[in-house]
Amino acid sequence: MQQGQENLQNEKSDGAKSPPATILFVDDESNILASLNRLFRPQGYRILTADSGAKGLAMLEQEPVDVVVSDMRMPEMDGSVFLEKVAQKWPETTRILLTGHSDFASTIAAINKGSIYRYLSKPWEDNDLRMTIQHALEQKFLKQERARLEKLTTKQNELLKQLNVNLENKVKARTAELGQAMAQLEITYESLKTSYSSAVKVFASLTEIREGSSSGHSRRVADNARLLAGKLALSEFDIENIVHAALLHDIGKIGLPDNLIHMPFNSLSKDDREKVTKHPVIAQAILITLEPLQEAATLIRSLHERQDGLGYPDGLKGEKIPLGARILAVANDYDNLQRGALLVDRLSPAQAVTFLQENRGKRYDPLVVDAFIAVLATTQAGEQKRAEVSVKSAGLKSGMVLARDMITKNNILILSRDCVLDDGTISKLQKFETTLDADFTIYVYAERR
């Protein structure tokens, strides 16, 4: 791994050698700086150190730096202020924060103002810190390479515009090459989207395993939120962010005790409510290093804001709440009301709709509530028209569509509802069934006649 890292930082895309990556460590404790120097010097990096934020800024004026790692608590200028100044003047320098367990509020400030790449708690674990810096450098160098390729593409396009009409054949050949490159980029982009979507589903499944009896909650919220966002004519990009937020909206509850996870919110004491209401901010912090999920993380933070401004964590009101969060609030509470996670008593679907209507303009956006009720009417009508049948894995055929989520006895999501089965998926499912010595009953939509 170390050899691969050295190759990445020391070799340009054209094969020429480049200087080693430069890391600046800023800490007011000399023993900490000495420890960091000993840890990273053998890795082949160029190491710079400063014992204050002011000296760190002065050093950045003189030296090009790839990554800066700063302590939070320092006299005169703390890590939050220092990293904010670095972000403003040297945005291309990756910023990492070292912080104590008691500095949560300061850490959030650094995240918001200094746009940090990652924060780690003191005392750090050596391998974790090494891997964090290695990943930061890899991301930085990949961005540089992408910028280089974009610049090259722009230059090539300008050359194409300048070609004489007599070079038509050459233009066609170059255009074909660019078309192939664009097709490859589209394939790569779709592959990345699929990978992230699969990872999100895995995280959601793990969250629901932690919650125990809540199996399927995130999926139901995601399905209803998708339909509701479509009803409100949101873009595909916005809908995708809303679905990701729905699947991950409870990830901040992973660290809560069992008694707080399983008790209805309205039955909690004041102290316990205070603990639970931190979960949207914790979720945003957990997702901070996943760039494609930043929009979803923002929606999760605002999920429990209210139309009348009495929600949490920021007390946002009305249209200051992101529309995606207003959509999630309705879809999430509709399911929570039925599973007893919001009120002490579980409500029927009709009673849950009545609750939403009674809280129009108070908890929920009236426009979103009205659209959701229309979606439910359409969805229920469609479900009545489409029958489902149960089959064993041996009876599955390519082209069948799952009518229900496939979940193991341990509440692990295997396949999602509406998944279209093919021969490869069916074969893997049958092998999985044999490995677990299980006997799955699978629900698929009946064929239309």
Side-chain angles (χ1 to χ4, degrees):
M1 180 178 294
Q2 180 177 342
Q3 182 65 39
Q5 167 213 312
E6 291 175 352
N7 290 340
L8 177 63
Q9 68 182 46
N10 291 330
E11 184 169 324
K12 296 182 179 178
S13 58
D14 59 4
K17 294 291 182 179
S18 61
T22 300
I23 305 172
L24 169 61
F25 295 105
V26 181
D27 198 300
D28 61 319
E29 296 183 43
S30 59
N31 60 325
I32 296 292
L33 293 176
S35 177
L36 291 168
N37 203 339
R38 287 194 301 272
L39 179 62
F40 285 94
R41 183 74 68 180
Q43 305 300 312
Y45 300 120
R46 181 168 172 260
I47 305 300
L48 303 175
T49 59
D51 60 9
S52 69
K55 290 182 180 179
L57 294 174
M59 195 164 290
L60 283 162
E61 292 283 359
Q62 302 297 324
E63 301 278 355
V65 173
D66 296 299
V67 177
V68 60
V69 181
S70 173
D71 184 30
M72 171 57 78
R73 292 192 176 184
M74 296 186 293
E76 299 181 2
M77 182 189 303
D78 66 16
S80 176
V81 175
F82 169 68
L83 291 177
E84 181 181 2
K85 292 180 181 294
V86 175
Q88 291 171 351
K89 196 162 186 180
W90 299 279
E92 297 302 317
T93 298
T94 303
R95 298 164 293 283
I96 296 174
L97 180 69
L98 294 178
T99 179
H101 291 290
S102 62
D103 291 332
F104 185 77
S106 300
T107 301
I108 293 298
I111 290 170
N112 292 331
K113 296 179 180 179
S115 300
I116 66 170
Y117 168 76
R118 180 82 181 274
Y119 70 88
L120 295 123
S121 297
K122 282 186 171 183
W124 66 82
E125 200 281 320
D126 286 353
N127 189 58
D128 189 21
L129 182 56
R130 276 195 298 263
M131 293 301 296
T132 296
I133 289 181
Q134 181 180 333
H135 291 162
L137 288 168
E138 289 173 351
Q139 186 178 75
K140 179 181 176 67
F141 296 150
L142 286 173
K143 285 183 178 179
Q144 291 175 342
E145 180 66 8
R146 182 177 65 184
R148 187 189 70 82
L149 291 174
E150 288 174 349
K151 184 177 180 181
L152 177 61
T153 301
T154 300
K155 182 178 179 181
Q156 290 176 335
N157 286 337
E158 290 299 322
L159 289 174
L160 285 174
K161 293 178 182 179
Q162 298 171 11
L163 287 175
N164 189 280
V165 290
N166 295 328
L167 301 176
E168 182 177 351
N169 291 334
K170 186 175 181 179
V171 171
K172 289 181 179 180
R174 182 63 56 86
T175 302
E177 292 175 5
L178 290 173
Q180 293 175 359
M182 288 300 297
Q184 185 60 46
L185 284 174
E186 289 177 1
I187 293 172
T188 303
Y189 176 69
E190 289 301 322
S191 176
L192 287 172
K193 283 178 61 179
T194 301
S195 297
Y196 266 105
S197 295
S198 298
V200 167
K201 290 177 182 178
V202 171
F203 293 154
S205 181
L206 292 174
T207 301
E208 293 197 342
I209 291 173
R210 173 68 181 87
E211 293 191 29
S213 62
S214 302
S215 176
H217 167 64
S218 295
R219 169 55 58 184
R220 292 190 297 271
V221 174
D223 289 342
N224 282 331
R226 183 195 301 275
L227 295 173
L228 179 50
K231 178 71 173 178
L232 293 171
L234 271 66
S235 68
E236 285 297 323
F237 175 79
D238 289 335
I239 292 175
E240 182 178 57
N241 285 327
I242 289 170
V243 170
H244 285 167
L247 290 170
L248 297 174
H249 73 276
D250 279 338
I251 197 170
K253 294 181 179 179
I254 287 179
L256 290 175
D258 290 344
N259 66 307
L260 297 188
I261 289 179
H262 299 135
M263 287 182 66
F265 183 81
N266 281 15
S267 68
L268 295 174
S269 66
K270 181 180 179 181
D271 290 342
D272 286 342
R273 283 192 184 190
E274 186 176 345
K275 295 175 184 177
V276 172
T277 54
K278 292 180 179 178
H279 80 85
V281 177
I282 295 172
Q284 186 184 37
I286 290 173
L287 301 175
I288 190 173
T289 60
L290 300 176
E291 184 64 31
L293 296 178
Q294 294 309 294
E295 291 292 334
T298 300
L299 297 182
I300 294 173
R301 180 187 179 94
S302 300
L303 169 61
H304 293 288
E305 302 290 354
R306 289 173 46 130
Q307 193 74 4
D308 56 14
L310 299 179
Y312 60 86
D314 302 310
L316 301 181
K317 182 178 182 180
E319 293 188 359
K320 290 186 177 180
I321 305 171
L323 178 55
R326 284 178 267 157
I327 290 171
L328 287 174
V330 171
N332 184 47
D333 282 3
Y334 176 71
D335 196 70
N336 279 335
L337 288 164
Q338 295 176 67
R339 67 192 187 98
L342 185 57
L343 305 178
V344 175
D345 296 326
R346 295 190 179 194
L347 302 187
S348 67
Q351 290 172 326
V353 168
T354 299
F355 182 92
L356 296 178
Q357 291 173 318
E358 290 174 347
N359 285 274
R360 291 171 78 257
K362 292 181 288 187
R363 297 177 70 98
Y364 313 113
D365 183 339
L367 177 67
V368 175
V369 171
D370 294 343
F372 186 59
I373 292 172
V375 165
L376 289 178
T378 303
T379 303
Q380 290 166 0
E383 289 176 349
Q384 291 173 358
K385 294 177 183 177
R386 195 164 190 190
E388 61 182 43
V389 295
S390 62
V391 296
K392 296 297 184 180
S393 63
L396 293 174
K397 297 179 181 178
S398 181
M400 285 183 171
V401 182
L402 289 183
R404 304 182 189 179
D405 289 342
M406 276 197 64
I407 300 172
T408 68
K409 293 180 180 180
N410 296 325
N411 290 325
I412 298 174
L413 177 67
I414 303 175
L415 293 173
S416 301
R417 188 183 71 186
D418 294 326
C419 173
V420 180
L421 301 175
D422 56 27
D423 291 335
T425 303
I426 293 171
S427 176
K428 291 177 182 177
L429 184 60
Q430 290 169 342
K431 290 179 180 178
F432 186 54
E433 187 178 45
T434 301
T435 301
L436 293 181
D437 192 22
D439 184 19
F440 295 138
T441 298
I442 304 157
Y443 292 88
V444 298
Y445 289 117
E447 294 183 6
R448 299 182 185 272
R449 295 184 179 180

